[in-house]
């Protein structure tokens, strides 16, 4: 499956790429603005500057480069980009991985609490608080990811700590959550000598030893937790070039950090760049995604997908209504009309077993496909149809995107406009739409659709009733 081809950098991207000054740089922008491409080209430029400096100074040790992504699928995609576009990296010692894998390698592959067991422990402690299981787990992740263990009590003081990035409903009794869930959970882990993934981030954020990297790139940084960012910064050399690529509008995980100052990163205006032109989406795709994120709580690191900044025209997105079997038949016919060399992503809110029927239909139509969810290496085969969850599609791009089965059963949330889970679903679907270069299709069963569908602007799509 193809990845992004080589592109000619724009003047606004070149300005970011060719800035050699050490320190932390932010590359911000909406989906399709070329953030990852710019970061990869900047990696090439900065690595070259460091290698020349090493040569002049007679430094024998290899240049230490760290590139981190949020998930394995994106890691494989970025690795392919780096191998294609960064020729100088062969002269450096490159670590390119997810944060989870990197943390495991750094700490000697310790045992980590199984996620199902961890969820069960937290739910057992907090089910009497009256929240849904999903919300409770998300809120605990948010707290443990935002604060170091010594600072957890700060969460209970709303006068000092704003609960940012999580919506306002349901209302949370912070003190009860700390005393009845978080503190007992932390103490239980200590007693049983257990560690979870956040513990690994804390260990890296607070340790004194470990490698020091001269060049660092973190892609999709909006979904890194505060402790993960602290861990990365802890391993930067004194004069490191660190580049964080992010868009807060696309934050789809509850533990994503929301304050640079809180994680100990000093950002100046000269080191913060916002890319404005949408190079990926057509005007129609950007307009389709816009209502889902318009009106969300504003964040300085977020950029709305404004269609005025798109460069190309294209067909109206399609919203297909019908039984799932009819949806898939329509999708198959649609794919059959597309050029053979154009990529198609079939995205689903859950994936896994939900793709069983999709696989069956594709095979019956003799259409080759590849599954890329949580895949650590980018597929090299000739297949141009990918099956992927919406979550795992973040950071990727395809010619055509089909969002399958946007039903309420798969995307539950509360009834209020500012419900935390509804806000997350809106961002998730908008992010998934933004993966498309040429066309978008969204499908659902009438009467069972997610409320997210109701937020779309009918003027931005063509409806198909099956």
């Amino acid at each position: 499956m193809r990845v992004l081809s080589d592109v000619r950098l724009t003047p606004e991207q070149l300005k970011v790429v060719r800035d050699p000054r050490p320190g932390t740089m932010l590359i911000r922008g909406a989906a399709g603005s070329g953030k990852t491409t710019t970061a990869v080209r900047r990696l090439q430029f900065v690595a070259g500057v460091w290698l020349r400096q090493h040569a002049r100074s007679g430094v024998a040790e290899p240049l230490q480069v760290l590139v981190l992504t949020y998930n394995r699928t994106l890691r494989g995609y970025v690795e392919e980009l780096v191998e294609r576009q960064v020729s100088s990296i062969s002269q450096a010692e490159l670590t390119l991985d997810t944060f989870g894998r990197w943390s495991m390698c750094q700490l000697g592959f310790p045992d980590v609490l199984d996620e199902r067991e961890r969820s069960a422990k937290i739910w057992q402690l907090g089910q009497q608080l009256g929240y849904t299981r999903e919300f409770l787990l998300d809120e605990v992740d948010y707290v443990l990811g935002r604060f170091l263990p010594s600072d957890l009590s700060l969460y209970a003081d709303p006068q000092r700590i704003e609960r940012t990035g999580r919506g306002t409903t349901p209302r949370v009794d912070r003190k009860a959550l700390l005393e009845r869930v978080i503190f007992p959970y932390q103490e239980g882990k200590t007693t049983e000598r257990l560690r979870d993934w956040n513990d690994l981030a804390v260990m890296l954020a607070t340790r004194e030893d470990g490698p020091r990297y001269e060049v660092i790139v973190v892609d999709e940084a909006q979904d890194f937790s505060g402790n993960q960012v602290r861990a990365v910064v802890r391993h930067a050399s004194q004069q490191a070039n660190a580049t964080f690529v992010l868009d807060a509008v696309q934050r789809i995980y509850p533990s994503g950090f929301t304050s640079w100052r809180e994680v100990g990163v000093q950002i100046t205006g000269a080191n913060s760049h916002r890319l404005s032109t949408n190079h990926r989406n057509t005007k129609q795709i950007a307009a389709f995604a816009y209502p889902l994120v318009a009106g969300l709580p504003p964040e300085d690191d977020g950029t709305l997908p404004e269609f005025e900044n798109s460069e190309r025209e294209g067909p109206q997105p399609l919203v297909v209504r019908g039984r799932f079997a009819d949806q898939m038949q329509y999708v198959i016919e649609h794919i059959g009309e597309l050029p053979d060399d154009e990529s198609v992503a079939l995205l689903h809110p859950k994936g896994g077993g939900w793709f069983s029927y999709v696989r069956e239909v594709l095979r019956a139509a003799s259409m080759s496909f590849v599954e890329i969810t949580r895949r650590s290496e980018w597929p090299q085969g000739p297949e141009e149809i990918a099956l992927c969850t919406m979550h795992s599609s973040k950071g990727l791009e395809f010619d055509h995107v089909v969002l399958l089965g946007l039903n309420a059963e798969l995307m539950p949330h509360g009834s209020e406009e500012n419900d935390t889970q509804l806000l997350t679903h809106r961002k998730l679907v908008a992010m998934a739409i933004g993966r498309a270069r040429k066309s978008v299709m969204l499908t659902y069963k009438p009467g069972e659709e997610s409320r997210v569908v109701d937020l779309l602007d009918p003027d931005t799509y063509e409806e198909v009733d099956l």
Side-chain angles (χ1 to χ4, degrees):
M1 175 161 283
R2 293 175 299 110
V3 299
L4 176 70
S5 59
D6 290 343
V7 296
R8 180 176 297 177
L9 296 177
T10 66
E12 72 171 353
Q13 292 170 333
L14 282 171
K15 179 182 177 181
V16 178
V17 167
R18 295 177 177 173
D19 185 346
R21 292 173 297 172
T24 301
M25 174 180 285
L26 302 187
I27 301 179
R28 301 182 289 186
S33 58
K35 300 185 296 298
T36 299
T37 299
T38 303
V40 170
R41 293 292 183 86
R42 174 168 166 76
L43 168 64
Q44 180 180 28
F45 177 80
V46 172
V49 171
W50 272 94
L51 288 168
R52 290 190 293 272
Q53 182 177 323
H54 276 204
R56 289 193 300 268
S57 304
V59 177
E61 293 80 10
L63 178 69
Q64 297 294 317
V65 178
L66 177 65
V67 180
L68 293 178
T69 66
Y70 192 86
N71 62 41
R72 286 189 288 182
T73 310
L74 181 57
R75 179 242 178 238
Y77 183 81
V78 171
E79 181 179 42
E80 187 75 9
L81 286 179
V82 170
E83 289 181 354
R84 289 189 178 198
Q85 299 184 15
V86 185
S87 57
S88 62
I89 212 68
S90 61
Q91 304 172 48
E93 187 170 309
L94 170 65
T95 300
L96 195 161
D97 224 327
T98 63
F99 181 90
R101 174 75 179 181
W102 175 68
S103 65
M104 290 286 282
C105 292
Q106 289 297 311
L107 297 170
F109 294 92
D111 290 332
V112 177
L113 186 61
D114 178 79
E115 189 58 35
R116 287 174 295 183
E117 184 180 351
R118 177 181 183 271
S119 299
K121 288 178 179 293
I122 293 172
W123 179 239
Q124 184 177 21
L125 291 167
Q127 59 184 312
Q128 301 304 319
L129 294 180
Y131 311 122
T132 65
R133 184 186 182 108
E134 183 176 358
F135 180 85
L136 176 70
L137 295 172
D138 283 353
E139 189 70 9
V140 171
D141 282 342
Y142 168 77
V143 177
L144 293 179
R146 179 176 180 180
F147 301 101
L148 291 169
S150 59
D151 298 329
L152 284 171
S153 296
L154 293 175
Y155 170 69
D157 187 352
Q159 300 301 316
R160 295 179 60 188
I161 298 295
E162 183 181 1
R163 182 176 173 273
T164 55
R166 295 283 292 124
T168 58
T169 58
R171 298 286 179 179
V172 179
D173 185 333
R174 300 189 191 188
K175 184 177 180 181
L177 187 68
L178 279 175
E179 293 180 351
R180 297 172 60 179
V181 181
I182 293 176
F183 288 153
Y185 171 67
Q186 295 286 80
E187 291 166 3
K189 283 189 301 174
T190 300
T191 300
E192 298 179 50
R193 297 184 179 180
L194 300 173
R195 295 190 182 100
D196 62 16
W197 288 104
N198 182 65
D199 292 324
L200 303 193
V202 170
M203 292 168 69
L204 290 179
T206 55
R207 76 173 182 175
E208 297 295 334
D209 60 345
R212 292 293 182 267
Y213 299 94
E214 289 99 344
V215 181
I216 297 173
V217 174
V218 179
D219 198 17
E220 299 292 337
Q222 73 276 354
D223 281 314
F224 277 57
S225 72
N227 287 331
Q228 289 174 334
V229 175
R230 293 183 182 102
V232 174
V233 172
R234 188 75 170 182
H235 289 77
S237 68
Q238 189 172 4
Q239 295 295 314
N241 291 86
T243 303
F244 288 85
V245 183
L246 73 161
D247 175 21
V249 169
Q250 298 185 69
R251 180 180 291 120
I252 58 175
Y253 292 98
S255 58
F257 84 103
T258 55
S259 170
W260 290 104
R261 181 182 301 176
E262 204 172 271
V263 296
V265 176
Q266 187 74 22
I267 300 296
T268 65
N271 286 343
S272 180
H273 301 271
R274 192 183 301 274
L275 303 180
S276 59
T277 303
N278 188 335
H279 302 282
R280 179 191 303 144
N281 306 140
T282 63
K283 294 179 182 293
Q284 289 75 16
I285 292 171
F288 188 53
Y290 180 81
L292 298 179
V293 293
L296 292 182
E299 297 182 50
D300 186 53
D301 288 333
T303 305
L304 294 178
E306 299 180 18
F307 56 87
E308 292 88 349
N309 292 331
S310 299
E311 298 178 313
R312 296 176 293 111
E313 299 281 350
Q316 284 280 85
L318 299 177
V319 174
V320 178
R321 299 157 32 100
R323 296 184 308 115
F324 193 66
D326 296 332
Q327 295 173 29
M328 280 306 305
Q329 185 58 42
Y330 188 88
V331 168
I332 292 296
E333 294 173 0
H334 176 75
I335 294 176
E337 296 173 355
L338 299 174
D340 292 338
D341 61 346
E342 293 185 352
S343 58
V344 181
L346 304 183
L347 306 182
H348 192 273
K350 297 294 184 182
W354 293 95
F355 272 132
S356 296
Y357 183 70
V358 177
R359 299 185 193 102
E360 178 183 328
V361 173
L362 288 170
R363 291 185 181 118
S366 299
M367 290 184 171
S368 300
F369 61 91
V370 61
E371 302 192 43
I372 61 175
T373 301
R374 300 180 61 82
R375 183 168 179 158
S376 59
E377 295 183 357
W378 191 251
Q380 300 298 317
E383 300 89 354
E384 291 294 354
I385 300 175
L387 306 188
C388 188
T389 64
M390 291 185 191
H391 286 85
S392 288
S393 73
K394 67 196 305 291
L396 308 180
E397 64 176 59
F398 308 88
D399 291 310
H400 309 278
V401 167
V402 179
L403 279 62
L404 294 170
L406 262 65
N407 294 343
E409 173 192 2
L410 303 175
M411 307 180 74
H413 52 73
S415 58
E416 293 87 351
E417 289 292 334
N418 56 357
D419 175 75
T420 296
Q421 289 172 289
L422 177 58
L423 299 184
T424 299
H425 294 332
R426 290 171 61 180
K427 289 183 176 183
L428 177 64
V429 175
M431 179 277 294
I433 291 171
R435 304 305 94 207
R437 285 192 286 256
K438 296 184 178 182
S439 77
V440 172
M441 180 189 299
L442 182 155
T443 77
Y444 69 91
K445 184 176 180 181
E448 298 181 9
E449 65 269 24
S450 164
R451 190 173 168 207
V452 172
V453 174
D454 297 332
L455 298 174
L456 296 169
D457 181 354
D459 291 335
T460 66
Y461 62 84
E462 177 184 339
E463 192 167 81
V464 178
D465 284 305
L466 302 178

